[in-house]
Amino acid sequence: TGGRGAPPSKLGEGSESNVARQQQAGEGQQELLEIAENVIEACSEANLDKDMAECQSLCHASMCCFEEEGSDYGCEDEDDVDCAVYGGCEALLVGLIEDGEEEE
């Protein structure tokens, strides 16, 4: 009887542990989705025309995601900043003067 696998209680515990990890991962993904939705809403053209303070507040810590490739200030490859979530922040950069000419 001893070599046929783990007792049922051990299997159940492992399954519960996996389910808990999946739920935590799902909650983390849900939180990231909600942040992305908030950023998109706050940084929409209509909201930026009214008041860009909320967009700036949400995006402040993630602006490093929009640095040029190879820049010392970029953070796109860092694990603690999820740049995809903050994609809507790019709206703050549209129309900025670059190299003496306004971007379209």
Side-chain angles (χ1 to χ4, degrees):
T1 350
R4 294 187 179 226
S9 64
K10 293 277 187 197
L11 290 174
E13 289 172 11
S15 297
E16 288 174 15
S17 177
N18 286 338
V19 169
R21 277 194 293 265
Q22 288 174 347
Q23 287 175 337
Q24 288 175 345
E27 289 170 4
Q29 293 297 316
Q30 180 64 32
E31 184 177 346
L32 292 175
L33 177 62
E34 290 172 7
I35 292 169
E37 289 174 345
N38 289 337
V39 167
I40 290 169
E41 176 66 25
C43 299
S44 70
E45 187 174 346
N47 283 334
L48 288 177
D49 286 343
K50 293 178 201 169
D51 180 19
M52 65 174 50
E54 184 178 1
C55 179
Q56 289 173 327
S57 175
L58 288 170
C59 296
H60 178 74
S62 66
M63 293 311 291
C64 57
C65 294
F66 304 99
E67 289 292 327
E68 288 186 30
E69 207 172 305
S71 167
D72 291 339
Y73 302 105
C75 60
E76 194 170 312
D77 296 330
E78 294 180 18
D79 291 334
D80 61 335
V81 180
D82 196 338
C83 290
V85 172
Y86 294 96
C89 296
E90 190 170 20
L92 289 171
L93 304 176
V94 174
L96 291 179
I97 307 265
E98 187 173 292
D99 296 330
E101 295 181 28
E102 186 172 340
E103 293 182 349
E104 292 182 28

